[in-house]
Amino acid sequence: MAQCVQSVQEFIQDSFVPMVAVLCSEDAEKITRKNNLNFSELLRPFCRLTSEGHVRDPNNQVQVVKNLRISVNNVVTRPSVPTSGVHSPAQRRLLSAVVSASQPAEGGVANVITAGDYDLNISDRSVKASVPWYSDWRDTLTELSTSKHYTATTPWFEAYRESFLQSMPASDHEFLNHYLACLLVVSSSEAVPVEQFHKLSQEQHMIQHNGEYTNPKWFIPNTLKYYVLLHDMSQGDEQRADSVYEDMKQRYGCQGCYLLKINSRTAAAGTDEQIPDPWSQYLNKSSLQTALLLNTVPSNPEAISVNSLDNTHPLQLETAIDMPGSLDSLRAIAAETKTTTVYTGVAAGTSHGTCLTLNDHNRLRLFIQEFTFRGLLPHIEKNIRQLNDQLVSRKGLSRSLFSVTKKLFGGGKVPEKSIAELKNTSGLLYHPEAPELQIRKMADLCFLVQHYELAYSCYHTAKKDFLSDQAMLYAAGALEMAAVSAFLQGGAPRPYPAHYMDTAIQTYRDVCKNKVLAERCALFSAEVLKSQAKYSDAATLLIKMTSEDSDLCSALLLEQAAHCFINMRNPMVRKFAFHMILAGHRFSKAGQKRHALRCYCQAMQVYKGKGWSLAEDHINFTIGRQSFTLRQPENAVLAFRHILTNDSQQTATQQGAFLREYLYVYRVALPQLTLPCINSSATRVYFGHERRLAEGEKQAATHVSLDQEFDQDLAAVWQDLEEQVVAAANRGVVPSTFYPTQCCLNSQTDNLHFPLAVVEEPIIVEVAFRNPLKVPLVLSDLSLLWKFTFKDFSRPQPQDIMVGDAVTITNEKETVQKDGIITTEVIPEFFMSPEETRVARLKLLPRQTGQLTILGLVYNLASTPSTGDSTINSPSATAGTSVRGRQDLEIQGPRLNQSKEEKTSVSHGPDRRLDPTITPPMPLLEVFFLQFPTALLCGEIRKAYVEFCNVSHVPLCGLRVVGREREDWYSPTTHKPSSVM
């Protein structure tokens, strides 16, 4: 289980504390209401004692009571509600609200546990443990688990556990949550305070002994009444209050009454003094409890039902579209208002204790101490002695005779492990004065004052008596508390009787049909087992307690079982992940979407990159949907991207379902698309017009085109020829600024320099797409996205003109768009078959000089149902889900490998094929051959005609021709040089 703030001993002690009721007069309530508190709320922060108390057991031995806490509550009378053994709707709403309100701290650094190849972020602090799988990881994890920095806490589980125990109704088979005492509070401003005390005393007596009120329940008939005179220091007569108190001491004794003075300042006075407010942390819980009693706890704001998630097995990779309401549910969630109301139960900005000073705080603390040490503990001690004397006198004779009878007639002990074979008499009720119940009362009193050894003896005795009578509910309660008492005995040699707890759980659940008590018993036993490092037994118990009755409870128990697996001496990492997935599924069904997302994210740490692709797909799909539900579109898109971009083993039908969910999330989330896949490095860019075809006898000269494969050797020949003609034009010297002309750029060309493009001459970009899915994709309105920097050669400074999707591309539906800067071609539809690789050629026509940067593509992406898709007739499938977005072209340049620094590091140079410089218009030459022979004999001379045509409006002058004879026409020993004319 996860680490808890309290130790198991503190947790159990705080779960069973002495209960004290409060009855106040109207005037006393008015005094406390000046602080926006009632009397029980006023005392609540001071109910834990800071000093030790002492009681004497029947053998006159002193028992020390440490760190005792008492529970003070107003008396609430309501009709008795029969316990059904399951949570009521109000309790379910309360527990759901408590868990929903407790979330991991955002922005906190995660606690990382490294176990083998796994890095698990499961906590709120940063601890890194390097644990080789087969060497010293045992010692490291042991050291980590005992470290003060290791705090893999789950505060939502602790909040649930606390609220669960506090909301449990009082039961007749045990007395631990019955009231032991009652505080009668009267204001000193009453005309006759003693008469008011008498009325409150009569009211308490009527509530306890009148059959009309079966709630609240009282521990013993003679309930301790403690008389409190409440005096308002800001307006009361202090001398009169002291006089009344002296009279009270004469009537009720010094140990039965108290004068409590509060409100030493008015609400308006002393505002500069900062007085702490210790009440706020208690009032939120108290308000939820009150709402529980009134059945007004609001519904969980996170409880948004998504049918396709909640009604499937957690490891079933469901087809989202064939579930009714999958996309419709997402649409409904997206359409809902983004504002949610968080229930706190306390008005925002309400201040408490405004009329109290620090001295008043000390008076309240002293009052609790005086009441406990002089009233409550002596009352408990007296009742323990009385019960012990009654049991000795009443039970000793009858039981001794009964035991002799059993020996004579063969009666024996009822075996504890044959509970299932016993008759179900869980409805058996004892008389209040029955000896069996007196033993149980004595045991509970001893337990409340931490006398665990005597409590264990009484529980053990009562357990045998209850089993003899086959009173299974009572027997289970005695077994449960006997096991707890045995564990809490300090330094006792008696081991923890886990089989007692197992029998109690089995009896509660299977015989008595009371799953609430079984759950309480399991929570205690699991904590004890965890404290003894018996994580395997604790995990087994927690998993066994899951059921279909409560998704929230099952989710919390499964999560704690997962933490047990990771805390074992040999950490079971995959079991941790598996049970976190199960917990996430149950959290989702319970409406706890944030906790569900957290569980799936933690499980992904184990499955990610381990080759379990189907499990990864399921987790990513669920993370995507939960993130979308919680309005986290970035996380949703990232999760869906992992499903669709990697090589998947899913069927075409499943991929189609994933794709439609993905497209819908994208449509309402982000414009950056990842489908289809683009091989950016394979992008080719062609500059210039496509050559005219020859007519008649004309034969067009060959030129570089996108239909040709790149030939490195032939490119070197053309570069050599160009250098020769440039040298001839410059008196035999090649200028240092010379850069060879490249009309078609690809991954094998030199792309370190900005290429040149000419105004009014097209730029054709060839992009390679790949559809990784087994379903077809349809791209529509496909075009290039670019940025242009205007540069007029007559101006020294450039001007930036940004052209984006929203300006020139997205809002236009024509095939070609013109705006005076760049004309962008749009492909109306581009279809890709499943797993197909295909290229698209897109054209730009620059109209101005400057610097152009091609950023990427923009298009509409839609899915087409495959022939085997069973969801083709579903409303979501036929709706044609599509989304418009963009995808960037990011090309990595060549690796640099010239200098020593570049060779020892990984660095890449620029690739500028998508960053052409647009120059002013230039001449454009086309060449045609006339009567050019197709074959010649060696030594034959034939006449041929060459036609030069300038298709540009700019004049062409200074034409030079360079030629070179191909070496493969001659023998290896023959070489014909090139010539320039």
Side-chain angles (χ1 to χ4, degrees), residues 430-628:
Y430 287 95
H431 188 273
E433 299 300 321
E436 293 83 359
L437 288 190
Q438 302 306 310
I439 297 178
R440 176 64 200 244
K441 283 184 179 181
M442 180 176 173
D444 288 345
L445 286 174
C446 293
F447 188 90
L448 291 176
V449 295
Q450 303 175 10
H451 197 332
Y452 300 118
E453 184 176 358
L454 182 56
Y456 173 81
S457 300
C458 294
Y459 285 129
H460 193 271
T461 302
K463 176 258 303 183
K464 293 188 293 184
D465 294 340
F466 292 139
L467 287 177
S468 298
D469 297 336
Q470 296 191 16
M472 303 313 298
L473 180 62
Y474 294 89
L479 283 167
E480 175 187 7
M481 297 310 299
V484 172
S485 300
F487 170 74
L488 292 177
Q489 291 183 36
R494 183 179 292 110
Y496 170 65
H499 62 284
Y500 277 17
M501 278 293 196
D502 295 338
T503 305
I505 294 172
Q506 180 186 357
T507 306
Y508 280 141
R509 185 182 57 192
D510 299 335
V511 179
C512 304
K513 307 300 181 184
N514 195 316
K515 296 183 179 179
V516 174
L517 291 174
E519 181 182 341
R520 183 187 72 176
C521 196
L523 291 175
F524 290 144
S525 184
E527 282 294 335
V528 173
L529 292 172
K530 183 195 73 171
S531 69
Q532 298 178 344
K534 297 178 180 179
Y535 292 105
S536 179
D537 295 339
T540 301
L541 172 62
L542 292 168
I543 295 171
K544 188 186 300 183
M545 289 304 300
T546 60
S547 66
E548 295 299 323
D549 296 325
S550 174
D551 290 313
L552 180 61
C553 173
S554 298
L556 292 166
L557 296 182
L558 286 168
E559 183 182 15
Q560 295 305 306
H563 281 276
C564 287
F565 287 122
I566 202 63
N567 279 287
M568 294 174 64
R569 184 168 178 82
N570 298 334
M572 306 178 75
V573 183
R574 285 177 292 182
K575 278 196 173 185
F576 162 80
F578 178 74
H579 286 84
M580 288 302 288
I581 290 177
L582 297 178
H585 176 67
R586 299 303 292 271
F587 271 129
S588 180
K589 292 181 67 177
Q592 300 287 340
K593 305 300 179 183
R594 294 185 185 277
H595 288 297
L597 177 60
R598 174 184 51 77
C599 289
Y600 277 101
C601 289
Q602 289 187 5
M604 175 56 77
Q605 299 173 90
V606 175
Y607 288 104
K608 185 177 181 180
K610 305 301 179 183
W612 293 22
S613 60
L614 295 180
E616 280 192 66
D617 287 348
H618 167 77
I619 298 173
N620 276 314
F621 175 74
T622 308
I623 289 175
R625 299 205 68 185
Q626 297 287 7
S627 298
F628 183 85

Side-chain angles (χ1 to χ4, degrees), residues 679-696:
N679 186 1
S680 297
S681 62
T683 301
R684 299 195 297 171
V685 184
Y686 178 81
F687 302 97
H689 289 283
E690 297 180 359
R691 297 306 176 183
R692 293 183 298 167
L693 299 177
E695 299 177 357

